Amino acid sequence: MAQKECCLAVDIGGTKIEVGLFAPSGEMLSQSKRFSVQFNNKKQADIYHLATATKDYLRKEKQVGWKLVGIGISVCGHVDEKGTAVVLAPNLGWRDYAAGEILDRIFHLPIHMEVDTAMAATAEMMWGAARNVKHFAWCTIGTGRGSYYVLDGKLFGGAHGFAGEIGHITIDERNGYPCGCGRRGCLETYITGPAIARAGQEAVKRGESDMMKEMAGESEITARVVIQAMQKKDPAACRIIDEKINMIAKVMGGLANTLDLEMIIIGGGVASAIPGFIEIIQERSRDYLMFEEAKKELRIAGETFSNAALYGAAANFFIKEGVLSNV
Ligand SMILES: [Zn+2]
């Protein structure tokens, strides 16, 4: 492939799709564009709408001197080994859905598709904070929680590509809250944005915070309200955020102990909304590390990209086409 060849990256999330054109260097060649996922009457994400919106974008963003040679796709669901069909993406209503093959017929270009968590880790490995790092975890803590591992310089998917679901370790199946996975009391239900919001709502119900009550007004208390109240030193909000941060620090320490990691990259809405989050986790996770080596060397880093999965979709395309090497 010549140097002036580029690929289209497509990140298909549960509600939004983002597209952008990338060079093999990781440079985004044009402003990326976001549009909403449209659902058809079978409650499935409409791939034909996606194709039309993408074609529109390509027409407007034609790059002089660059040739589009293929499409890298990141999707919020599990993908088959060939990288052409989505095995399961609950948010999109796709099960055993040959999304890649349909897009191949429309665009007549090579397509490589992968789960978004793996793509985010790939972006960090190729172009981000984890360049030259052989053992790291990528985690996001936001509305939900996702993670993926790179071990020995390679993406670690496990037996079925499901590795990384640390958020679904059961903490309390009796008294815990229902989780998106259908079970109860998973770790995810304790540390994500909705968990912070719920803790805020409960504190207000117990009469512990007039400030959060006032800030929310008529609306429900959100994670953002709790974080803002924490910044204004509301005691209940401070306690909630402190507890959540401690729990996250324990999980990160445990993850590093389990896999002997060099780095953990943390992204997502919760991480970016709490000031100094990365530094706090770096500090507190030390208390839970077993080995002196890890205490000295483990690095906690923020994510490099505003949408790592989009960058990763491009990087994965170039790796699969032999343009980039990940070893
Ligand atoms: Zn769960």
Side-chain angles (χ1 to χ4, degrees):
M1 225 188 255
Q3 191 57 29
K4 295 292 267 183
E5 294 183 333
C6 70
C7 85
L8 172 77
V10 181
D11 174 39
I12 310 174
T15 56
K16 290 261 187 291
I17 294 165
E18 188 168 356
V19 292
L21 285 167
F22 284 85
S25 62
E27 182 195 354
M28 199 194 274
L29 297 171
S30 61
Q31 183 67 43
S32 67
K33 188 170 189 294
R34 297 180 89 182
F35 44 90
S36 296
V37 176
Q38 306 270 307
F39 288 86
N40 61 24
N41 52 14
K42 287 185 205 151
K43 295 203 169 109
Q44 290 177 325
D46 185 348
I47 194 122
Y48 298 99
H49 170 263
L50 181 158
T52 307
T54 302
K55 277 187 173 171
D56 237 31
Y57 171 77
L58 288 173
R59 243 191 319 273
K60 285 183 193 135
E61 297 293 340
K62 227 170 183 43
Q63 296 294 309
V64 179
W66 291 88
K67 185 179 176 225
L68 179 64
V69 294
I71 304 175
I73 302 174
S74 146
V75 62
C76 59
H78 294 289
V79 173
D80 71 346
E81 271 188 19
K82 284 193 292 176
T84 53
V86 174
V87 178
L88 180 63
N91 294 336
L92 300 170
W94 291 354
R95 179 181 267 277
D96 296 323
Y97 186 64
E101 285 168 29
I102 295 170
L103 293 174
D104 185 6
R105 284 200 292 276
I106 296 172
F107 288 95
H108 308 290
L109 286 168
I111 288 170
H112 298 288
M113 184 166 59
E114 254 298 354
V115 56
D116 52 6
T117 47
M119 294 300 84
T122 300
E124 295 292 353
M125 173 170 64
M126 300 306 296
W127 297 325
R131 260 174 300 180
N132 305 318
V133 178
K134 285 189 87 174
H135 308 278
F136 74 94
W138 174 89
C139 304
T140 180
I141 308 169
T143 319
R145 194 196 174 290
S147 56
Y148 216 86
Y149 311 126
V150 169
L151 302 175
D152 232 354
K154 294 188 197 78
L155 289 170
F156 179 78
H160 310 92
F162 301 158
E165 298 288 5
I166 193 176
H168 300 284
I169 289 179
T170 305
I171 305 292
D172 184 348
E173 75 274 36
R174 280 167 179 260
N175 305 310
Y177 289 95
C179 178
C181 73
R183 290 178 300 143
R184 195 174 264 279
C186 292
L187 177 61
E188 182 167 304
T189 65
Y190 290 85
I191 60 175
T192 50
I196 294 174
R198 193 173 50 229
Q201 290 155 15
E202 287 169 356
V204 167
K205 242 182 248 160
R206 291 193 299 266
E208 291 170 6
S209 171
D210 292 339
M211 188 191 282
M212 283 195 274
K213 193 175 176 188
E214 261 169 45
M215 284 168 77
E218 294 296 301
S219 328
E220 201 147 73
I221 286 161
T222 59
R224 195 156 294 281
V225 166
V226 181
I227 292 167
Q228 280 167 357
M230 178 268 296
Q231 287 174 280
K232 291 180 181 165
K233 308 267 185 285
D234 175 69
C238 287
R239 178 183 46 77
I240 291 166
I241 298 299
D242 193 61
E243 279 172 13
K244 299 301 175 196
I245 284 179
N246 262 348
M247 191 136 187
I248 294 167
K250 279 182 205 172
V251 172
M252 297 304 154
L255 200 55
N257 290 339
T258 309
L259 296 168
D260 191 9
L261 299 172
E262 297 164 83
M263 179 182 270
I264 299 174
I265 298 173
I266 310 177
V270 170
S272 61
I274 299 175
F277 181 84
I278 297 295
E279 292 74 19
I280 301 169
I281 297 295
Q282 171 92 52
E283 191 54 41
R284 289 202 197 171
S285 60
R286 288 213 165 356
D287 295 342
Y288 304 102
L289 294 174
M290 269 175 75
F291 302 106
E292 288 307 315
E293 287 79 357
K295 285 181 190 172
K296 275 194 227 120
E297 292 165 17
L298 175 69
R299 283 176 286 161
I300 309 283
E303 58 186 346
T304 312
F305 309 98
S306 59
N307 183 355
L310 183 72
Y311 279 78
N316 183 53
F317 175 84
F318 289 125
I319 291 168
K320 293 279 160 63
E321 291 290 318
V323 178
L324 283 180
S325 165
N326 60 338
V327 285

